[in-house]
Amino acid sequence: FPSVESESGNFQSYKAQINSLDIKYVKTGQGPSLIFVHGWANNWEGWIPIVKYLKGDYTLYLVDLPGFGDSGNLPEYSVEIASQYLGNFIKTVVGKPVSVVGLSMGSLVVAQTGLDFPNLTDCIILTGPVIKTGNLSLAASTLKYSLWFLKNFSYGETALKKIIETRITAYALSKYMNMYKFNRFLVDTYGMIGKKKMRKEAFTQMGISVASYDLNKVLENYKIKTLLIYGREDKISSPDFARSNVLPKNHLLSCVDIPEAGHVVPMEKPQEVALAIKEFLTSIK
């Protein structure tokens, strides 16, 4: 069993060695296990707002992916590589959780983990999953080549990370892209530490991988019951598009959208997202 590294409030912090790499995770709560995987420029702390609404019914594992938070470094990063570490972490440390939950980039890693480890869990929950419409496909292509250029340009990754980890950039992204209603407290408290701790190579390479990943196609033939949870005002990926273009192709998929919330819906509306998770898990028992 991994040794205790530190304590923060009601959380206990651990490290598990997976494929010779240290994976940091936080464990809290009681009951059946749920795994949570953070978004692109964050770490496990982005899930803190939802913890109090679930820890009475579930044991929560909040995981730092390789290259993020306090987990170890890899020579290269992608959704598919992260999936292997996440799947093996769950098999080694947890066993079989009732579900695995991802946010944004983390939702793609979780979806891929369901493909790579089909018997790992009975259901998957994707919050803010990036399903590409026509306009988003164009934006993803632009992002992909921009990040590729910075990755191969001298000091490009270093400069990008310095920009991303500033408060002014975090506030701008939250106000105009990630949130329905800008909340400085949420950004400062749950969004800044992860930005500072992520490795620049992980940020750029995972961004390239996310921009290339076709979640639409993956979900068409998905074999695991899956809930998609969106903020109704998500500016990155549309719940209406998911309902009309993806859900009809697979009866194992369902969708919930939360009013007055944007892309980071678990941070903006944690109680509502927790309720949606509980209702979904109850419905498939």
Side-chain angles (χ1 to χ4, degrees):
F1 189 80
S3 59
V4 175
E5 186 187 49
S6 65
E7 292 190 10
S8 175
N10 293 324
F11 303 112
Q12 284 191 309
S13 177
Y14 303 85
K15 282 186 180 179
Q17 193 166 78
I18 307 298
N19 300 347
S20 301
L21 186 82
D22 282 339
I23 296 293
K24 157 75 174 287
Y25 68 98
V26 163
K27 179 183 176 183
T28 188
Q30 58 185 1
S33 299
L34 286 175
I35 315 300
F36 290 84
V37 183
H38 59 83
W40 186 17
N42 214 335
N43 68 334
W44 71 269
E45 288 166 277
W47 288 107
I48 290 176
I50 205 172
V51 166
K52 67 179 179 179
Y53 300 108
L54 292 171
K55 67 179 183 179
D57 300 298
Y58 300 96
T59 299
L60 312 179
Y61 292 81
L62 316 178
V63 183
D64 281 347
L65 291 174
F68 293 86
D70 293 313
S71 287
N73 301 328
L74 293 174
E76 60 180 313
Y77 301 90
S78 71
V79 169
E80 292 78 8
I81 292 171
S83 164
Q84 291 300 308
Y85 281 90
L86 178 62
N88 284 313
F89 165 81
I90 294 170
K91 287 171 61 178
T92 302
V93 176
V94 183
K96 187 170 185 178
V98 293
S99 190
V100 187
V101 188
L103 170 62
S104 191
M105 176 198 79
S107 72
L108 305 188
V109 175
V110 168
Q112 184 63 37
T113 304
L115 283 181
D116 295 338
F117 301 84
N119 299 313
L120 194 66
T121 184
D122 292 329
C123 66
I124 294 291
I125 299 172
L126 310 179
T127 65
V130 183
I131 292 178
K132 297 170 185 171
T133 62
N135 289 339
L136 187 56
S137 294
L138 178 61
S141 180
T142 301
L143 175 65
K144 174 183 175 181
Y145 288 110
S146 298
L147 290 172
W148 182 88
F149 174 78
L150 289 168
K151 174 178 175 289
N152 290 279
F153 179 72
S154 179
Y155 303 112
E157 287 180 318
T158 300
L160 178 62
K161 181 165 187 305
K162 287 186 179 297
I163 293 169
I164 291 295
E165 68 184 21
T166 63
R167 271 189 167 76
I168 190 169
T169 301
Y171 290 167
L173 289 173
S174 297
K175 184 173 183 178
Y176 297 109
M177 184 178 296
N178 287 331
M179 287 184 163
Y180 167 69
K181 184 177 181 181
F182 175 63
N183 186 316
R184 185 190 303 258
F185 170 79
L186 290 179
V187 177
D188 286 345
T189 308
Y190 306 118
M192 294 308 302
I193 293 176
K195 289 176 175 54
K196 294 181 182 300
K197 285 190 173 185
M198 69 183 180
R199 266 63 88 207
K200 59 186 180 182
E201 298 85 0
F203 180 73
T204 53
Q205 291 178 34
M206 287 299 289
I208 292 168
S209 182
V210 165
S212 305
Y213 195 85
D214 191 348
L215 182 61
N216 311 38
K217 186 175 181 180
V218 169
L219 291 179
E220 282 184 17
N221 300 304
Y222 215 56
K223 305 300 183 185
I224 304 175
K225 290 182 180 179
T226 301
L227 175 65
L228 283 61
I229 302 178
Y230 284 100
R232 188 169 295 169
E233 309 302 327
D234 194 323
K235 299 181 181 73
I236 295 176
S237 190
S238 164
D240 292 336
F241 182 85
R243 280 198 178 92
S244 59
N245 292 273
V246 180
L247 267 65
K249 299 176 183 178
N250 189 336
H251 72 281
L252 295 176
L253 307 179
S254 57
C255 182
V256 170
D257 56 274
I258 308 295
E260 298 184 352
H263 187 60
V264 288
V265 57
M267 190 181 293
E268 291 186 278
K269 296 289 183 178
Q271 186 171 8
E272 292 84 347
V273 172
L275 179 60
I277 290 172
K278 289 180 180 180
E279 289 179 345
F280 174 64
L281 295 177
T282 299
S283 72
I284 64 172
K285 283 184 179 178

